[in-house]
Amino acid sequence: MASGQAIIGGLLGRFLFKEARVGQVRDVSPHFRWMEWVGEGLCDVEWSPGDKVQVFLPDVGMRTYTPLGWDSTLGSTRFLVYMHGDSPGARWGRDLKVGDRCQFFGPRGSLALQSLPGPVVLFGDETSFAVAHTLKNLKAGSADVEHVFEVSSRGESEGVLGELGLAGASVVEKRSDEAHLADVEARLRAALERRRGAHLVLTGRAHAIQAVRARLRSSGIAHAGQKVKAYWAEGKSGLD
């Protein structure tokens, strides 16, 4: 049965949403797909690194993604979709093919990366790879960015990160008992010590963000400030 969000979206979509066509799709790994959207609806759009796009999935509702980049002159944008489990977003990502039409709302502000001067240390997971890519490009030519990720598969994730130009990122494989978060905290603390005055950006899984913040606060490690954006949480269909 369609959700209330999906019903409302279907009724109002033609008035509120932009539309694009899938121009390219490429399987990066078993759980990641790169795709390019094209169309007039993507032209003359103001986009900043860290912005989000809310995609309308028929019979489901809205799902949020971070564009890898945006060309408002040519009318194109690119996404890296993480397909984990059998969620509606994962099924949509697997089934999407060249020529399919997509309705979306945005781009809209989510993480204001351009407001971060100086060094940045970013924590996240597979859902954070896109925002890490945009941060890398924003800081192009600078060595003042470090990334620490918790992931389900270290081997797969390192391959994907390499394609995104993030081969130097620190990758920690998750454990069901959350014991890996001690390693994550140690790596983040070391990164903040190397880059005095860095801003800390925490993204990805809500529980991991909460745990990492608490550990870093207890350690007393200094940083210039925090930006926090939880992309998902266990037992919830999705976060904005």
Side-chain angles (χ1 to χ4, degrees):
M1 178 181 290
S3 69
Q5 187 184 50
I7 293 171
I8 294 172
L11 292 172
L12 300 180
R14 60 180 175 174
F15 302 108
L16 300 178
F17 297 155
K18 300 183 179 74
E19 187 172 273
R21 175 177 56 83
V22 179
Q24 298 183 63
V25 176
R26 178 170 62 88
D27 291 323
V28 180
S29 74
H31 296 98
F32 288 88
R33 296 191 90 191
W34 176 92
M35 60 185 66
E36 181 183 46
W37 294 4
V38 296
E40 293 183 2
L42 304 174
C43 293
D44 300 320
V45 169
E46 291 187 9
W47 171 83
S48 296
D51 282 357
K52 65 184 177 183
V53 164
Q54 292 172 289
V55 182
F56 176 66
L57 277 57
D59 300 324
V60 176
M62 310 298 291
R63 291 295 182 271
T64 303
Y65 296 93
T66 301
L68 293 166
W70 202 293
D71 190 324
S72 61
T73 301
L74 297 178
S76 68
T77 186
R78 297 164 301 285
F79 297 93
L80 181 73
V81 177
Y82 176 52
M83 302 167 297
H84 179 67
D86 195 38
S87 68
R91 292 195 298 272
W92 170 79
R94 292 188 190 102
D95 294 341
L96 210 63
K97 59 186 183 300
V98 172
D100 284 352
R101 311 297 297 189
C102 298
Q103 290 184 312
F104 66 96
F105 185 65
R108 300 167 59 200
S110 181
L111 272 174
L113 299 179
Q114 288 182 318
S115 67
L116 299 176
V120 179
V121 176
L122 181 143
F123 166 70
D125 61 11
E126 293 94 338
T127 64
S128 310
F129 287 2
V131 76
H133 173 79
T134 64
L135 177 61
K136 175 189 73 72
N137 287 344
L138 182 63
K139 298 281 189 178
S142 167
D144 283 342
V145 181
E146 289 198 45
H147 308 87
V148 179
F149 298 105
E150 61 161 12
V151 300
S152 296
S153 169
R154 181 174 179 177
E156 180 179 9
S157 292
E158 286 180 338
V160 175
L161 289 167
E163 289 216 16
L164 294 175
L166 297 166
S170 185
V171 178
V172 179
E173 198 158 291
K174 287 191 290 188
R175 289 179 47 171
S176 59
D177 62 0
E178 304 283 25
H180 70 284
L181 291 177
D183 189 8
V184 167
E185 184 253 337
R187 297 187 189 208
L188 287 170
R189 188 172 65 248
L192 289 168
E193 288 173 348
R194 283 191 295 270
R195 303 183 185 284
R196 298 289 182 176
H199 284 80
L200 180 62
V201 179
L202 301 169
T203 64
R205 184 169 62 109
H207 176 76
I209 291 172
Q210 293 168 359
V212 166
R213 289 183 78 187
R215 287 172 177 268
L216 290 174
R217 188 161 51 243
S218 296
S219 72
I221 188 70
H223 53 76
Q226 292 184 17
K227 285 186 179 294
V228 177
K229 177 62 69 172
Y231 292 141
W232 67 283
E234 288 90 346
K236 295 186 178 181
S237 60
L239 301 177
D240 186 78

